[in-house]
Amino acid sequence: MKKVMIGNHAVSWGVLRSRVEVISAYPITPQTQIVEALSDMVADGSLPAQYIKVESEHSAMAACIGGSIAGTRTFTATSAQGLALMHEMLHWAAGGRLPVVMANVNRAMAPGWTIWTDQNDSLSQRDTGWIQLYCETNQEVFDTTVQAFKLAETVDLPVMLVLDAFFLSHTSEPVDVTEQEDVDRFLPQRDATFKMDTSDPHAFGALVRPDAYTEMRWQQQEAMHEARDVFRQVEDVWEAITGRRYGAVEAYRTEDADLLLVTSGTITSTARTVVDERRAGGEKVGLLKVKMFRPFPTEELRGHLGGVDRVAVLDRNISPGHGGIFAEEIRSALYDVPPEDRPNLFGYVLGLGGRDVTPTVISDIIDNCRSTARPEREDLWVGVEL
Amino acid sequence: MSERDVTKPHDTGRKIPPIAISETSTLVNPTGSWKYIMPRYEDRVAPCNAGCPVGIDIEGYMYLIGQGRLQEAADLLVRENPMPAVTGRVCHHPCEDSCNRASLDEAVAIHSVERRLGDMILAAPPPPAPERTREETVAVIGSGPAGLSCACFLARLGYGVTVFEAAAEAGGMLRLGIPEYRLPRAILDRQIERIQAAGIDLRTSTRVGTDVPWAEVDAFDAVFVAPGAHVGKDSRIDGAESVSAIRPGLEFLKEVNAGGRPDLGERVIVVGGGNTAMDCARSALRLGADVTVLYRRTPREMPAIPQEVREAKQEGVEFEFLAAPIGVAKEGGVFTGITCQRMELGEPDESGRRRPVPIEGDTFTTKADTVLTAIGEDCDLSFLPGDIGTTWGLVEVDELGESTSATVFAGGDVVDMPRSVADALGAGKRAAIGIDHFLREKAGEDVGEVPLDDLRFGGGNVSALRYSKDADPIPREAPVNQTVTWDQMNPHHFQTAPRHEDHFHDAIDLRSAFGETNFGLSQKEAIEEAERCLNCGVCNRCELCLIFCPDMAISRREDGGFEIDMRYCKGCGLCAAECPRGAVTMTREGI
Amino acid sequence: MSQTIIKQHIPRDDLLASGHLACPGCAAPIAMNLVLKALGPETMVVLPACCWSIIAGPWPQSSLRVPLFHTAFETGAAVASGIKAGLVARGDTETTVISWAGDGGTFDIGLQALSGAAERNEDFIYICYDNEAYMNTGVQRSSATPWGAWTTTTPTNDPEHQPKKDIMAIMAAHRIPYAATASVAYPVDLVEKVKKARTIRGTRFLHILAPCPPGWKTQNDETIDLARMAVERRVFPLMEVENGGTWRFTVDHPGGSIEEYIRRQARFKHLTDRQVEIIQDEVDARWGILSNRVEHGT
């Protein structure tokens, strides 16, 4: 069934098709339409879920944790300040190995007040133990939403799917909504690994002494590692049903490229057109889209980037005092590439607070990248006019 | 396609699970090792038991009544007190003075409950006589409460007992001295019959020293001497000996109690403040006289049972305090009354009561047709052989009533002890134990010392049940022979409830009647009154310890008691603090 | 009558195991045991950070014989909402979910989530065992700490300035179907309230005063006596509020001087007689307000 819908509603449809049992959410622009649509679905009975309209994002995540430890499939959505408020409970869900799925609509952090996109909100939650999947199109948003539950419930880790504010959340695109029976085959009712059960009572989350905490964290990390392979399997199954797959990393026209752009989110789509233009001009430019940020697709990135001359990472985010976060992570991943194959990495910081990243901006970046032997600094800010 | 196509990677068989999920309970923690003090269930002795001169497990029978086990309650009562129908009526009930419940609201009306149980016992046929298991025989001189008590306990211990009674009927002072309106003769008769039914040979109208020689009683293996005190003390009224209107009160009581109805005239003065004085006053009232009691001290010092004083006042007896008779008043040689000396209270004497001191020159005269003196009685010990030691006219005895002669024991009013029915009953019980012990030792049994301290209820009188090592019908947890005090108990778990007071005959009718004035309590009231008992010191399985234990360290045993699991008891002491009756003790012993 | 025997009113099975890690004489396990006795095994417990996080035992232990979820300090009501929603989603409408929180997790950091849940009338029982300070972290003041009390953050030369927050009024203002206070010294009253709460649907709130020997600086064996005295002297009246409007006292409160109650707790030992009178005045004033609520329902 094809429908034209905004990105936010693609999330809602994914949640509907996934037969989520407990939803708990708090409104925040620009995600609000996700939970508004879910309210309608619950109200009209098409989604027979328990919907807890909590008084804060912190409680939203806490309630999802409650629903999850009760054995059910749970979902919430948020953005920016809301995600930051959830921070404590993101650790709780991950450390408790609860497969909560959350949509985060990327919005820049205040102050000053902003509602437009950048990735600092989700990337600030990098170390909470959540799987993070960044989307480029509304179709991908729908697909990733459904996949997220499959992935989360297989590895017992929470998953955050991420979409750009407005560029996706409020932009209409045609979306092929997978039929319910197909999704049901892909995603049966959750059978929880750990849950509260009065016939088999256990305590969850008690004080853990130093003699066991490390082992629990090690297993969490192992699950993260396993998630890479599990995600591949999830995509295999999904592709078999729908014919669609995205990959943790997508290589676009990277063959024989001497310069690769690295992007995530909607900048990717813009970058594709620039790459097409440059390729048409005979330039060996390619594009690498990073969908999966956690677990970090280290090996795939090394495989694609090793031996390339120049790499331009486009970061719609900044780790103040360091650099663009994707750039830093990729730089770190490339350390183990043999020096002769190690590319020259340029880290561009751009598009913060929703500033438009146009084809011209990306084209200029390609030129800039080619024009100097080495980057002047680890963070190359684009378009700063003081 | 199905979920099977995606492989779930978890290995759940690891020693440490992926999350902090519990696998065991906290029972693995020996948190009891934290304690430095620990609780112990230790039943204690209720103060009523310790305060009873007879040595009755009052708390025990109250508990049984509370359980609805009336017959067992009666059995336990009569096990320690052979005449509860009597003591329920005439005892001065010091048990009630020691009752802890008085600190909560009012003491339990123990005497009323005892009386009801006593009457219940009398209503049933006497039990079969105890088996005669001992060859020895014992002579008992006197069939008052001391003599009958001793005889009864000796019979239960298997001895042949012969009681010698100088009067025509048994009962001693119960019959001779106590008026019928306090102790109906039918009750006394049936009580004595029951004691006799224990196989006692009762020889009335047989005065030792007159009707039978001392040698005849001395031929028994042991003798218990309890003839009572029947000789009125000198009135110390100048010229009294020549006035027939001045007579010993006890003599008057004996006459009335035997059915005599002497003419006392219109106005009677009774001298004294004890129970004999009250009995004289109230008997004289019933013969139609106006009666005034003359007492040389104040109401506070009166030795009479307060209830008796109260009743006397209600019946119309007048009291003149701080006055002592000193002489006879005559008009024209005819006795008209007595002269009295006004007194005031001085320093306390050896009894702790303030001594009355004459106020120089302050005298008065009061009219009287008859003066009854009730200032105490002496004993006639002339029948005793000279080798039996006496002091101040009383037989010297040890705690078990043994005199200076090995085979002779004594008790009741002839020894130095409070003169009360209860004390006499208690002395008889002690002497029976003393005699049993003496005879067994003489028979070559290895009996050791009598463990007197263990036999006593707290510091009170001895228990026959404990002496015989009979089964205690009350389940007791590690009993400690200490009396529990109010401050060792937790009053918060008790509700106040008014005491049931005895029902009395309307005072207006009394002046011509010798019928019983106190009707006691109904069965229902008596049971309710027994339920007021706090069971001081004795666990009643209320389970507050269990409910308040923060550590779930207390569990129920199959026998109804409790067990403390010291592996988990942290020694907080809440069980002891919250035990309503002081049956849990905190101790450092054993840690 | 001498003693009202209460054992027949207290269910016999313990759902709390020995060996838990409460301090000697702690009221919190007594309260938990009574509550679980009243609720029975079809109960799930949410436990935000509080003394009970320790009492429940470290991994791999649990002192409870019912499922227990340890959660973050401020999330008791929210997690309980989620668990209940999860149960209902799977068709289980019978299992009782309780959130068991201390005063910090209720009066302070958890109040927002509690208010949210109460306003939504979530179907669970929220129970606050109140030891009147942050005891687990070593006795710091909370908004449940009474006026004049010493804590490590309200030293004796600058003791607690504020009277205890009126949490019952706050909860009543949410018009939840049932709110009640209870005391470990009144086990039957407590058990009956929990049983009553269990039969009601929607948010139910129970506030249990839980004396703390180390935090109140009292003897271990005084816990019940102090809890009882708090009720008798009207410091902590036992009451219930239905639908936020009907206030009712559930036991007698004879009243009388609070001096002994205060003086037996060394956390108040720095107070002058005049300051004790101030507390007395506050207790009397609050009693007046409460009596008015009982009488007029406001």
Side-chain angles (χ1 to χ4, degrees):
Chain A
M1 178 181 73
K2 281 217 174 189
K3 283 171 72 77
V4 172
M5 63 177 73
I6 58 170
N8 277 339
H9 288 169
V11 174
S12 310
W13 274 92
V15 169
L16 172 72
R17 284 290 187 258
S18 300
R19 296 192 188 275
V20 162
E21 295 165 287
V22 174
I23 299 163
S24 179
Y26 186 80
I28 183 170
T29 304
Q31 74 77 13
T32 311
Q33 292 152 324
I34 297 175
V35 298
E36 285 173 346
L38 287 172
S39 301
D40 287 338
M41 291 167 177
V42 171
D44 68 19
S46 54
L47 178 57
Q50 298 295 307
Y51 192 158
I52 311 170
K53 291 149 194 177
V54 286
E55 81 300 332
S56 72
E57 288 90 349
H58 197 280
S59 286
M61 184 47 59
C64 283
I65 287 167
S68 194
I69 194 63
T72 59
R73 184 167 294 153
T74 64
F75 174 81
T76 189
T78 194
S79 289
Q81 313 301 132
L83 184 64
L85 181 59
M86 280 183 188
H87 175 77
E88 179 192 27
M89 300 319 288
L90 299 185
H91 283 281
W92 217 280
R97 305 294 298 275
L98 296 171
V100 178
V101 170
M102 167 166 60
N104 182 65
V105 179
N106 268 149
R107 161 179 157 179
M109 295 297 297
W113 279 118
T114 167
I115 55 171
W116 297 279
T117 198
D118 76 29
Q119 297 171 325
N120 256 69
D121 58 350
S122 54
L123 292 175
S124 292
Q125 306 306 331
R126 182 185 69 177
D127 299 333
T128 56
W130 281 60
I131 291 170
Q132 290 194 8
L133 302 172
Y134 288 76
C135 298
E136 181 191 350
T137 65
N138 289 358
Q139 182 67 57
E140 186 180 358
V141 166
F142 171 81
D143 292 336
T144 304
T145 304
V146 180
Q147 291 174 338
F149 289 105
K150 184 75 173 177
L151 174 61
E153 291 167 19
T154 305
V155 295
D156 289 321
L157 286 173
V159 176
M160 183 192 303
L161 66 113
V162 187
L163 55 152
D164 289 345
F166 302 105
F167 298 121
L168 274 190
S169 68
H170 288 62
T171 303
S172 292
E173 291 179 346
V175 173
D176 184 356
V177 177
T178 311
E179 297 304 322
Q180 185 67 58
E181 61 197 63
D182 292 330
V183 177
D184 286 347
R185 274 188 289 126
F186 174 75
L187 187 67
Q189 189 181 56
R190 179 182 169 215
D191 180 16
T193 312
F194 304 110
K195 68 169 182 176
M196 292 176 94
D197 180 356
T198 52
S199 64
D200 181 24
H202 292 279
F204 298 90
L207 178 82
V208 176
R209 287 181 275 229
D211 61 355
Y213 186 87
T214 303
E215 282 70 16
M216 291 178 188
R217 287 292 161 267
W218 184 86
Q219 291 178 78
Q220 187 181 344
Q221 170 74 343
E222 192 183 38
M224 270 288 186
H225 287 314
E226 285 160 350
R228 295 188 181 99
D229 180 54
V230 170
F231 182 66
R232 248 188 309 275
Q233 295 181 47
V234 166
E235 284 219 306
D236 290 345
V237 180
W238 190 247
E239 187 181 16
I241 296 172
T242 66
R244 297 186 292 271
R245 77 176 299 141
Y246 303 93
V249 173
E250 181 200 345
Y252 183 72
R253 305 186 79 168
T254 55
E255 66 283 0
D256 70 9
D258 59 357
L259 187 151
L260 286 183
L261 296 171
V262 179
T263 60
S264 61
T266 54
I267 288 179
T268 309
S269 301
T270 313
R272 282 183 207 273
T273 62
V274 174
V275 166
D276 288 347
E277 280 171 20
R278 293 285 179 126
R279 279 281 181 180
E283 201 175 332
K284 292 178 179 173
V285 177
L287 168 67
L288 214 52
K289 167 188 164 188
V290 182
K291 175 186 177 76
M292 179 184 275
F293 176 69
R294 279 292 179 273
F296 199 63
T298 308
E299 288 302 326
E300 285 178 80
L301 286 167
R302 281 181 194 152
H304 288 294
L305 298 177
V308 174
D309 188 26
R310 282 161 196 266
V311 172
V313 181
L314 276 56
D315 266 304
R316 191 169 224 155
N317 61 74
I318 176 66
S319 174
H322 200 8
I325 294 167
F326 279 85
E328 301 304 346
E329 298 255 339
I330 292 168
R331 206 174 260 138
S332 163
L334 295 175
Y335 187 80
D336 281 345
V337 172
E340 62 275 18
D341 290 339
R342 203 178 287 155
N344 203 0
L345 192 146
F346 292 71
Y348 295 95
V349 175
L350 76 176
L352 300 184
R355 181 175 294 187
D356 205 3
V357 179
T358 61
T360 309
V361 170
I362 295 174
S363 208
D364 289 350
I365 284 170
I366 293 171
D367 294 342
N368 176 275
C369 186
R370 288 204 189 281
S371 66
T372 50
R374 304 279 304 167
E376 285 172 26
R377 43 190 274 173
E378 58 183 344
D379 52 326
L380 301 166
W381 290 65
V382 176
V384 177
E385 289 181 29
L386 296 170
Chain B
M1 291 291 173
S2 75
E3 194 197 3
R4 297 288 152 239
D5 296 331
V6 176
T7 314
K8 200 168 173 70
H10 283 311
D11 176 8
T12 51
R14 290 179 177 130
K15 192 176 69 183
I16 293 175
I19 60 167
I21 179 171
S22 66
E23 292 157 351
T24 175
S25 83
T26 47
L27 291 173
V28 297
N29 302 323
T31 47
S33 64
W34 302 358
K35 67 177 159 294
Y36 56 89
I37 188 164
M38 68 180 194
R40 188 186 280 164
Y41 286 102
E42 281 181 349
D43 280 355
R44 279 152 205 283
V45 178
C48 51
N49 290 10
C52 173
V54 185
I56 305 174
D57 187 0
I58 298 166
E59 182 279 323
Y61 75 70
M62 294 289 182
Y63 170 83
L64 292 170
I65 296 173
Q67 300 258 304
R69 294 151 70 183
L70 281 186
Q71 188 56 51
E72 286 172 83
D75 292 345
L76 183 63
L77 168 57
V78 85
R79 184 73 186 86
E80 301 290 1
N81 175 12
M83 43 178 74
V86 169
T87 47
R89 287 173 166 80
V90 303
C91 180
H92 62 302
H93 44 72
C95 51
E96 294 183 24
D97 299 335
S98 11
C99 177
N100 274 336
R101 176 133 202 165
S103 301
L104 180 69
D105 44 24
E106 298 167 277
V108 175
I110 299 170
H111 75 281
S112 312
V113 179
E114 182 186 40
R115 170 177 165 163
R116 195 74 219 179
L117 273 187
D119 286 356
M120 189 184 109
I121 293 165
L122 287 188
E131 200 186 335
R132 176 82 187 268
T133 55
R134 305 288 306 179
E135 288 176 5
E136 299 94 326
T137 56
V138 182
V140 172
I141 300 172
S143 68
L148 288 179
S149 166
C150 186
C152 180
F153 285 111
L154 283 170
R156 288 178 188 172
L157 288 165
Y159 294 94
V161 185
T162 302
V163 177
F164 296 90
E165 170 55 51
E169 288 180 283
M173 210 55 98
L174 296 173
R175 186 177 297 279
L176 302 173
I178 296 181
E180 272 205 79
Y181 61 84
R182 283 176 61 202
L183 179 59
R185 289 302 171 259
I187 297 288
L188 179 62
D189 291 344
R190 280 178 14 232
Q191 193 80 81
I192 292 171
E193 277 166 26
R194 285 185 82 88
I195 293 170
Q196 243 187 297
I200 291 158
D201 179 14
L202 178 60
R203 297 195 205 165
T204 50
S205 304
T206 309
R207 182 180 293 276
V208 175
T210 310
D211 301 315
V212 294
W214 172 259
E216 192 174 326
V217 294
D218 205 24
F220 286 78
D221 295 292
V223 184
F224 180 60
V225 178
H230 295 268
V231 183
K233 284 187 194 294
D234 179 14
S235 69
R236 291 184 226 162
I237 301 171
D238 276 348
E241 46 295 336
S242 62
V243 179
S244 62
I246 301 177
R247 56 184 297 202
L250 181 58
E251 187 185 291
F252 161 72
L253 283 176
K254 284 180 179 178
E255 183 182 351
V256 174
N257 291 340
R261 296 291 182 260
D263 180 7
L264 302 175
E266 281 178 18
R267 184 164 162 76
V268 173
I269 301 287
V270 177
V271 181
N275 288 323
T276 304
M278 293 308 110
D279 289 342
C280 287
R282 296 176 66 194
S283 294
L285 205 70
R286 282 165 172 74
L287 295 176
D290 291 331
V291 183
T292 299
V293 171
L294 207 63
Y295 181 51
R296 58 189 181 141
R297 305 191 215 216
T298 72
R300 287 170 57 137
E301 289 80 26
M302 285 182 79
I305 303 172
Q307 177 66 27
E308 296 297 320
V309 179
R310 248 193 326 272
E311 287 181 44
K313 281 181 180 163
Q314 280 166 3
E315 290 173 5
V317 173
E318 301 286 330
F319 286 80
E320 183 78 51
F321 293 105
L322 290 167
I326 48 172
V328 173
K330 291 184 178 176
E331 280 177 26
V334 178
F335 174 78
T336 56
I338 46 175
T339 345
C340 302
Q341 168 71 54
R342 288 279 179 205
M343 314 291 277
E344 62 185 351
L345 291 181
E347 293 303 305
D349 64 13
E350 63 278 2
S351 74
R353 295 183 300 174
R354 292 177 68 187
R355 191 190 304 273
V357 182
I359 303 173
E360 205 57 49
D362 190 353
T363 61
F364 65 99
T365 300
T366 182
K367 283 192 184 304
D369 297 310
T370 304
V371 177
L372 301 172
T373 58
I375 52 173
E377 293 81 28
D378 290 327
C379 302
D380 178 3
L381 300 177
S382 58
F383 67 95
L384 285 180
D387 62 340
I388 293 173
T390 59
T391 306
W392 298 105
L394 299 170
V395 181
E396 292 170 24
V397 289
D398 68 9
E399 284 187 296
L400 289 171
E402 188 167 7
S403 76
T404 53
S405 162
T407 60
V408 177
F409 292 71
D413 291 352
V414 296
V415 305
D416 182 14
M417 56 174 243
R419 288 184 171 175
S420 79
V421 175
D423 284 285
L425 288 165
K429 188 200 283 184
R430 285 199 304 279
I433 290 169
I435 289 167
D436 180 60
H437 183 261
F438 163 70
L439 292 176
R440 286 176 185 275
E441 197 167 44
K442 197 173 164 191
E445 288 182 37
D446 183 14
V447 286
E449 292 288 307
V450 176
L452 251 182
D453 288 343
D454 296 339
L455 298 185
R456 292 184 185 279
F457 288 107
N461 200 29
V462 295
S463 161
L465 182 130
R466 287 187 191 174
Y467 180 70
S468 300
K469 300 189 172 71
D470 288 351
D472 190 338
I474 316 295
R476 292 189 201 279
E477 203 66 48
V480 172
N481 207 8
Q482 286 168 4
T483 308
V484 66
T485 56
W486 181 241
D487 60 12
Q488 291 170 317
M489 295 171 55
N490 190 327
H492 294 100
H493 302 293
F494 300 125
Q495 279 74 47
T496 57
R499 167 180 161 119
H500 293 79
E501 295 293 354
D502 289 340
H503 299 290
F504 283 90
H505 201 295
D506 190 342
I508 304 298
D509 299 337
L510 291 179
R511 295 189 63 136
S512 58
F514 279 84
E516 191 167 24
T517 58
N518 182 345
F519 300 153
L521 298 181
S522 71
Q523 172 107 341
K524 178 172 169 290
E525 291 166 333
I527 289 171
E528 285 173 2
E529 189 59 20
E531 285 168 350
R532 289 182 71 238
C533 174
L534 305 180
N535 303 106
C536 303
V538 182
C539 175
N540 71 343
R541 320 293 200 229
C542 75
E543 296 198 358
L544 283 181
C545 49
L546 206 128
I547 291 165
F548 288 127
C549 174
D551 293 294
M552 278 48 72
I554 303 175
S555 57
R556 303 171 188 87
R557 286 194 321 245
E558 276 186 15
D559 67 0
F562 304 105
E563 201 157 29
I564 303 174
D565 193 335
M566 290 301 166
R567 288 175 302 170
Y568 303 117
C569 167
K570 293 171 189 157
C572 70
L574 277 173
C575 51
E578 289 307 314
C579 177
R581 39 192 56 77
V584 186
T585 311
M586 296 304 290
T587 174
R588 285 172 204 273
E589 278 173 42
I591 292 190
Chain C
M1 285 302 293
S2 54
Q3 180 189 359
T4 307
I5 301 297
I6 64 169
K7 60 182 173 184
Q8 70 272 19
H9 301 291
I10 310 293
R12 289 168 73 100
D13 289 341
D14 288 329
L15 291 168
L16 171 56
S18 300
H20 62 68
L21 300 181
C23 303
C26 177
I30 303 174
M32 175 68 94
N33 197 33
L34 288 169
V35 164
L36 289 182
K37 278 169 176 281
L39 291 176
E42 296 303 313
T43 303
M44 293 182 179
V45 179
V46 177
L47 195 62
C50 57
C51 286
W52 248 98
S53 306
I54 300 304
I55 300 172
W59 177 84
Q61 305 171 7
S62 176
S63 59
L64 297 191
R65 299 187 175 111
V66 295
L68 163 64
F69 189 76
H70 291 266
T71 190
F73 215 161
E74 65 279 50
T75 63
V79 171
S81 302
I83 291 174
K84 185 67 189 185
L87 295 175
V88 172
R90 290 284 170 103
D92 173 3
T93 55
E94 291 311 304
T95 298
T96 305
V97 176
I98 69 171
S99 179
W100 180 269
D103 47 300
T106 304
F107 288 62
D108 292 346
I109 195 168
L111 187 60
Q112 173 181 316
L114 172 59
S115 173
E119 176 278 320
R120 298 189 304 272
N121 202 20
E122 296 284 352
D123 187 19
F124 65 82
I125 308 177
Y126 191 102
I127 303 175
C128 171
Y129 70 102
D130 174 8
N131 49 30
E132 301 195 321
Y134 290 88
M135 297 309 185
N136 197 29
T137 43
V139 199
Q140 295 82 31
R141 65 89 65 184
S142 75
S143 62
T145 302
W147 186 91
W150 162 90
T151 69
T152 56
T153 52
T154 49
T156 54
N157 55 355
D158 188 17
E160 175 59 27
H161 295 288
Q162 299 299 328
K164 191 182 179 81
K165 189 186 277 185
D166 188 353
I167 194 75
M168 285 298 285
I170 292 171
M171 296 315 295
H174 287 76
R175 303 266 160 188
I176 53 174
Y178 188 73
T181 56
S183 169
V184 290
Y186 293 75
V188 176
D189 181 77
L190 191 155
V191 164
E192 293 302 319
K193 282 170 176 164
V194 175
K195 283 182 171 173
K196 181 173 181 178
R198 192 177 192 276
T199 65
I200 297 170
R201 286 298 155 97
T203 306
R204 294 139 284 168
F205 179 79
L206 204 64
H207 180 201
I208 305 174
L209 185 67
C212 165
W216 292 19
K217 295 186 176 290
T218 54
Q219 297 300 309
N220 295 342
D221 64 357
E222 291 183 298
T223 298
I224 299 296
D225 206 27
L226 287 169
R228 180 168 43 231
M229 205 178 281
V231 173
E232 288 179 346
R233 310 288 161 92
R234 302 173 174 170
V235 177
F236 190 82
L238 296 189
M239 55 193 160
E240 50 187 21
V241 192
E242 290 181 45
N243 301 310
T246 313
W247 293 68
R248 196 169 71 82
F249 292 124
T250 59
V251 301
D252 287 337
H253 302 87
S257 167
I258 51 118
E259 186 165 357
E260 188 190 352
Y261 176 72
I262 297 295
R263 290 299 182 200
R264 273 172 58 180
Q265 303 174 47
R267 63 172 170 159
F268 292 116
K269 74 174 174 193
H270 51 279
L271 296 184
T272 62
D273 289 347
R274 175 66 200 125
Q275 287 172 312
V276 174
E277 280 173 30
I278 292 171
I279 298 176
Q280 179 78 62
D281 291 345
E282 163 73 11
V283 167
D284 293 346
R286 268 190 50 75
W287 176 257
I289 292 167
L290 275 178
S291 302
N292 201 45
R293 284 179 194 157
V294 168
E295 216 165 298
H296 304 295
T298 53

